[in-house]
Amino acid sequence: MIKVITYGTYDLLHYGHIRLLERAKALGDYLIVGVTADDFDRQRGKINVQQTLEERVAAVKETGIADKIIIEEYEGQKIDDIKRYGVDIFTVGSDWEGYFDYLNEYCKVVYLPRTQGVSSSELRAEKSSVKIGMVGYSSFLNKVYRESKFVNAVDVTSICSSDFTKLKDIRKETLQCTDNYSAMLDNVDAVYIHSHPTLHYDEIHKALEAGKHVLCESPVVLQKKQYDELLQLAGKNNLILMEAIRTAYMLAYSRLLLIVKGGKIGKVVSVDATCTSLSTYGNFGENSKKWGSLEDWGPTALLPVFQILGTGYTEVDFFSIEDNKYPGTDAFTKVNVSYPDATATIKVGTGVKSEGELIVSGTKGYIYVPAPWWKTDYFEVRYEHPEDNKRQFYQLEGDGIRYELVEFAHAIQKGDAEFYINRNVTGAIVDVMERFTNQYC
């Protein structure tokens, strides 16, 4: 019996996939098909996959071509599979020609011509391209635009700004550039908002009233009652209102949460997060405003606090230093969050620098994430005895922006924006911002 093996993602299974599987099967008597796991795809930077692993496996199974279906979960697995299953032929599409020649040491390698005129990438683009308009004046929007090019589920088509000083890169592109928000809303499906937090409520409300989905940089708003009102409006109009904290969508961070929730470090008693930067957002022109340190970094630092310890906190207190250069904004703020049986501390600063690490302390061990923890691809699970420590590495592309945009598109398709950040967490972040504003502003 001649055994043949091939691999693929098989997202939105189409005629080209089926023809490739048929030709692979014709090379021998028994066909093994490896379907890539979701985590493995993300580690390789393949972020546009539309279907779950279960859906993709089911689609391959329904073709009736595969004699056995396996899951590809790690780099180098192909060699293990070839040896484990006694494979005679490895085959893959000709667009990979030469790449897998190293497998000739273990079996015969055959590159098959692909069916012309059809691809999963084209199908995904045709199926779900969301036209997005960007709102704001920060240079960060240049990066968002560049990263959007990696996500075929979205298409950034326009930008609305009161100040284009820091948006020269975007203005070179063929985008609609305007200072008329209503005009932009007429030509998009959704908006990405990165303006000053004091402007968010009006901008979100107007977008939702116009029937547009919203991805907004956190803090979404600065008052809890405003957030509740916007959620109600979004629900009434069947729209997505999603919070943009890039860290939440990064693979390393999401795996950290699973390890914590799985009890690997025991009961968590403390979360300590620090986020600082010498650069600041805002003050680029007469209509621009500067972010305070808590407005800038607070939501990111609070994210692991509320996602790990929950939102049942009993007390929140602040220590803050005003920015001498920009009165009315904080240059550094320390927040202590108390729970019945745990505690958390965040430190945030703009124009202030400290070690940007995250430490989650438990009764069996702790998790250490080095600076900058908010865009990490690596963390350590540490125990009493160093020989028990575990290091975790995950691929990170584009500071998490492209992952965030992918999830925004998925949320619009599925009608659910709570997979990575639930509404209780967003509400708790808004509550802390409101408490701080009432006390210091």
Side-chain angles (χ1 to χ4, degrees):
M1 176 186 291
I2 299 176
K3 290 186 177 181
V4 181
I5 195 166
T6 190
Y7 296 83
T9 302
Y10 304 107
D11 189 34
L12 303 175
L13 191 78
H14 53 70
Y15 177 68
H17 289 138
I18 295 172
R19 285 291 298 128
L20 202 62
L21 290 173
E22 289 174 338
R23 282 177 285 172
K25 180 66 174 284
L27 293 173
D29 308 299
Y30 188 89
L31 178 62
I32 302 169
V33 177
V35 181
T36 55
D38 295 334
D39 277 1
F40 189 48
D41 277 329
R42 287 195 71 182
Q43 288 175 33
R44 297 184 301 153
K46 196 167 188 177
I47 60 172
N48 287 305
V49 178
Q50 298 288 303
Q51 296 178 300
T52 65
L53 175 61
E54 291 77 11
E55 290 171 326
R56 293 182 283 117
V57 168
V60 172
K61 185 176 181 180
E62 287 175 8
T63 66
I65 301 171
D67 295 292
K68 184 179 184 64
I69 299 174
I70 61 176
I71 308 302
E72 185 179 22
E73 300 179 277
Y74 58 90
E75 193 72 35
Q77 183 178 330
K78 292 179 176 66
I79 294 174
D80 284 347
D81 290 341
I82 290 169
K83 296 163 82 174
R84 178 179 294 113
Y85 299 110
V87 169
D88 301 288
I89 299 174
F90 167 86
T91 187
V92 72
S94 57
D95 50 338
W96 290 97
E97 188 159 2
Y99 188 86
F100 293 107
D101 286 354
Y102 69 93
L103 294 177
N104 277 309
E105 179 181 345
Y106 306 95
C107 67
K108 182 179 180 180
V109 176
V110 176
Y111 297 101
L112 293 171
R114 284 194 176 271
T115 303
Q116 298 299 312
V118 60
S119 74
S120 296
S121 297
E122 291 173 351
L123 290 175
R124 284 191 292 263
E126 292 172 3
K127 178 184 177 183
S128 56
S129 182
V130 179
K131 290 195 296 183
I132 295 179
M134 297 192 298
V135 182
Y137 47 80
S138 164
S139 60
F140 180 75
L141 291 176
N142 294 307
K143 181 180 288 188
V144 174
Y145 178 69
R146 291 193 297 269
E147 288 299 310
S148 73
K149 298 300 183 181
F150 293 94
V151 182
N152 57 25
V154 304
D155 183 18
V156 175
T157 59
S158 57
I159 181 168
C160 177
S161 182
S162 60
D163 183 356
F164 284 92
T165 305
K166 295 290 184 178
L167 301 173
K168 294 178 181 178
D169 290 350
I170 289 178
R171 298 204 74 173
K172 295 176 183 177
E173 304 290 336
T174 55
L175 294 181
Q176 175 197 13
C177 297
T178 180
D179 61 359
N180 188 322
Y181 189 39
S182 297
M184 189 190 77
L185 288 174
D186 289 339
N187 296 298
V188 297
D189 305 310
V191 293
Y192 169 78
I193 297 174
H194 194 282
S195 58
H196 193 274
T198 56
L199 304 175
H200 288 177
Y201 173 77
D202 289 337
E203 291 168 343
I204 295 171
H205 193 279
K206 193 166 186 175
L208 294 175
E209 285 282 13
K212 312 302 177 181
H213 304 284
V214 177
L215 174 63
C216 183
E217 279 293 323
S218 191
V220 175
V221 286
L222 297 174
Q223 294 181 29
K224 186 66 165 56
K225 67 177 183 179
Q226 290 182 339
Y227 178 60
D228 293 338
E229 179 188 338
L230 292 173
L231 277 182
Q232 185 176 10
L233 180 58
K236 174 185 174 183
N237 293 342
N238 295 315
L239 296 168
I240 292 298
L241 170 56
M242 184 168 140
E243 184 174 23
I245 304 179
R246 295 177 297 286
T247 302
Y249 307 96
M250 296 180 185
L251 186 58
Y253 177 78
S254 63
R255 291 300 169 264
L256 180 155
L257 292 182
L258 293 179
I259 288 173
V260 171
K261 298 295 184 181
K264 294 296 184 182
I265 61 170
K267 176 178 169 34
V268 176
V269 298
S270 176
V271 177
D272 298 280
T274 300
C275 300
T276 63
S277 175
L278 295 180
S279 61
T280 61
Y281 281 133
N283 252 59
F284 301 134
E286 61 176 341
N287 296 319
S288 305
K289 298 181 180 180
K290 180 187 177 296
W291 275 255
S293 66
L294 197 66
E295 292 169 334
D296 190 353
W297 284 114
T300 299
L302 288 168
L303 182 70
V305 173
F306 296 138
Q307 289 193 318
I308 293 173
L309 296 178
T311 57
Y313 48 92
T314 57
E315 187 179 349
V316 179
D317 63 78
F318 307 91
F319 169 81
S320 190
I321 299 175
E322 187 177 40
D323 191 322
N324 292 328
K325 188 175 180 182
Y326 303 104
T329 64
D330 58 312
F332 176 86
T333 294
K334 181 179 179 180
V335 184
N336 295 312
V337 185
S338 300
Y339 291 80
D341 54 359
T343 185
T345 298
I346 72 163
K347 292 185 291 185
V348 295
T350 53
V352 174
K353 196 62 184 170
S354 185
E355 185 67 20
E357 60 189 12
L358 170 67
I359 300 175
V360 184
S361 304
T363 55
K364 294 180 180 178
Y366 69 100
I367 291 180
Y368 174 74
V369 192
W373 72 263
W374 54 90
K375 55 179 180 180
T376 188
D377 58 0
Y378 159 79
F379 63 88
E380 291 186 19
V381 185
R382 295 177 175 177
Y383 297 99
E384 183 78 10
H385 303 292
E387 62 268 21
D388 296 328
N389 293 353
K390 303 291 183 183
R391 296 180 177 182
Q392 306 284 339
F393 296 89
Y394 299 92
Q395 184 71 27
L396 172 64
E397 301 286 350
D399 289 352
I401 298 169
R402 61 186 72 170
Y403 303 123
E404 186 176 66
L405 292 174
V406 166
E407 292 308 321
F408 184 44
H410 286 177
I412 292 172
Q413 294 166 9
K414 298 173 183 176
D416 181 11
E418 291 195 77
F419 186 82
Y420 284 91
I421 307 176
N422 69 45
R423 291 174 177 175
N424 288 337
V425 169
T426 301
I429 291 172
V430 172
D431 176 60
V432 171
M433 300 303 300
E434 183 171 11
R435 291 177 187 229
F436 179 77
T437 301
N438 290 341
Q439 184 172 338
Y440 285 93
C441 300

